Amino acid sequence: MVDRPPFLGFGLGLRPQHYTEILEADTPPPVDWFEIISENYMEAGGRPRHMLDRVKDRYPLVMHGVSMSIASTSPLDWGYLERLKSLADHVQPKWISDHLCWTGVHGINLHDLMPVAYTEEALTHITARIARVQDYLGRRIAIENVSSYIEFAESEMTEWEFVGELARRADCWLLLDVNNVFVSGQNHRFDGNAFIEAIPTDRVVQFHLAGHSEGNDCLIDTHDQPVCDEVFELYRRAIGHFGPISTMIERDDNIPPLSDLLAELARARQIAAETLAPGQLKVA
């Protein structure tokens, strides 16, 4: 059993639209912690870092990146990792996360989270890269499952088998995005419950809950809609399986008033309270 980071409670992604209300409301909003997008705060100085410093004085923070490209065949971007480490030294986050994907190759950034084939070769390659990143940062990182819209004929195992084995071999944490499990399950016709139940319970440190949109023939992970009922029900299964895991609402576009996100967060709290035994939701 690996000692996981502490249970932080229920959080939100920190977005500039909500800075004022978070910091200047007469009554602080009922949020236990915030997740920041790492790339938005890497530059020292300026309003983003000023607001970040004010928030970090009041709330626990975690860092979530979109540019590590851990599954790429291009060399690791050590300049990016240097900036990431510098930010982590400043923020002192509870953990750092990024995605199980590649975002570009040969110096071209696709600005998207591209999926991988679930092969032994890819598993060995990504495990080694995670080990190098963790050695450099001096800490375990959390890797997030992504939504996908294609499947590879070369895959030798299921996504959940790949993710679970990656966590074990790389000795890393997992960020389980419940919406991504639902989206990929609908797109590829697998049972999201089977995915959840196959993931090692001692590796998951965080849940993402988010919204998606309907495309012509698939669901698309857009993060611009409220969390749907089906994702909340899958979350009920997830928190019942894993126990108290730090949970947040992730919204990246079509940003609503803070009160809307707080209502979604309250629903997640209620599901957790209904599912877990009294006392399990005590924040560390």
Side-chain angles (χ1 to χ4, degrees):
M1 179 67 70
V2 183
D3 290 332
R4 287 187 296 193
F7 171 60
L8 301 181
F10 297 84
L12 294 176
L14 182 64
R15 302 295 179 259
Q17 293 88 338
H18 302 139
Y19 284 156
T20 300
E21 193 167 356
I22 291 166
L23 292 168
E24 298 181 11
D26 292 336
T27 301
V31 180
D32 297 322
W33 57 279
F34 285 97
E35 178 191 83
I36 66 169
I37 302 299
S38 301
E39 290 79 0
N40 291 346
Y41 297 94
M42 285 183 171
E43 297 298 326
R47 184 171 186 265
R49 282 290 283 265
H50 173 70
M51 302 306 287
L52 174 63
D53 286 347
R54 293 181 64 189
V55 173
K56 78 180 182 68
D57 288 342
R58 306 184 189 190
Y59 297 91
L61 297 178
V62 304
M63 289 169 46
H64 184 56
V66 295
S67 303
M68 192 176 291
S69 200
I70 199 67
S72 176
T73 56
S74 291
L76 288 167
D77 184 342
W78 292 105
Y80 170 81
L81 290 172
E82 182 180 10
R83 295 191 298 276
L84 184 69
K85 185 173 184 178
S86 177
L87 179 63
D89 290 343
H90 180 75
V91 171
Q92 293 298 307
K94 300 300 182 181
W95 56 82
I96 299 170
S97 64
D98 209 296
H99 301 81
L100 178 55
C101 72
W102 55 283
T103 59
V105 69
H106 303 310
I108 299 173
N109 192 333
L110 301 175
H111 300 288
D112 209 341
L113 309 177
M114 309 302 292
V116 300
Y118 303 124
T119 65
E120 181 65 30
E121 180 182 18
L123 188 55
T124 299
H125 172 69
I126 299 169
T127 295
R129 285 167 67 89
I130 291 174
R132 294 179 70 192
V133 169
Q134 293 186 147
D135 284 346
Y136 179 73
L137 295 178
R139 62 169 76 213
R140 288 189 181 98
I141 61 173
I143 296 295
E144 177 186 349
N145 59 297
V146 299
S147 294
S148 62
Y149 314 101
I150 61 170
E151 294 179 288
F152 292 91
E154 295 84 358
S155 288
E156 300 164 352
M157 63 193 83
T158 64
E159 181 183 359
W160 49 93
E161 289 169 336
F162 189 95
V163 170
E165 188 62 19
L166 180 69
R168 285 186 284 264
R169 292 193 195 183
D171 191 21
C172 66
W173 305 122
L174 294 175
L175 191 172
L176 187 63
D177 190 308
V178 179
N179 179 65
N180 289 352
V181 173
F182 178 78
V183 167
S184 293
Q186 294 295 301
N187 290 346
H188 305 312
R189 296 177 175 81
F190 66 72
D191 181 2
N193 293 317
F195 188 118
I196 286 169
E197 291 170 5
I199 298 299
T201 56
D202 62 342
R203 292 291 174 175
V204 177
V205 298
Q206 183 181 349
F207 289 141
H208 272 173
L209 300 177
H212 55 262
S213 300
E214 293 191 10
N216 292 332
D217 55 2
C218 67
L219 299 182
I220 303 173
D221 180 36
T222 51
H223 293 186
D224 63 357
Q225 300 296 321
V227 181
C228 72
D229 292 343
E230 293 86 350
V231 170
F232 272 122
E233 284 309 304
L234 193 58
Y235 170 65
R236 186 186 300 274
R237 176 65 66 92
I239 202 162
H241 180 68
F242 292 101
I245 299 293
S246 304
T247 298
M248 62 160 282
I249 304 296
E250 188 180 30
R251 190 66 172 263
D252 294 319
D253 202 1
N254 191 26
I255 305 293
L258 182 62
S259 59
D260 290 5
L261 298 178
L262 293 175
E264 290 187 285
L265 197 61
R267 184 172 179 184
R269 286 182 194 268
Q270 183 61 36
I271 289 171
E274 293 168 355
T275 305
L276 299 176
Q280 281 191 278
L281 293 178
K282 183 179 179 180
V283 175

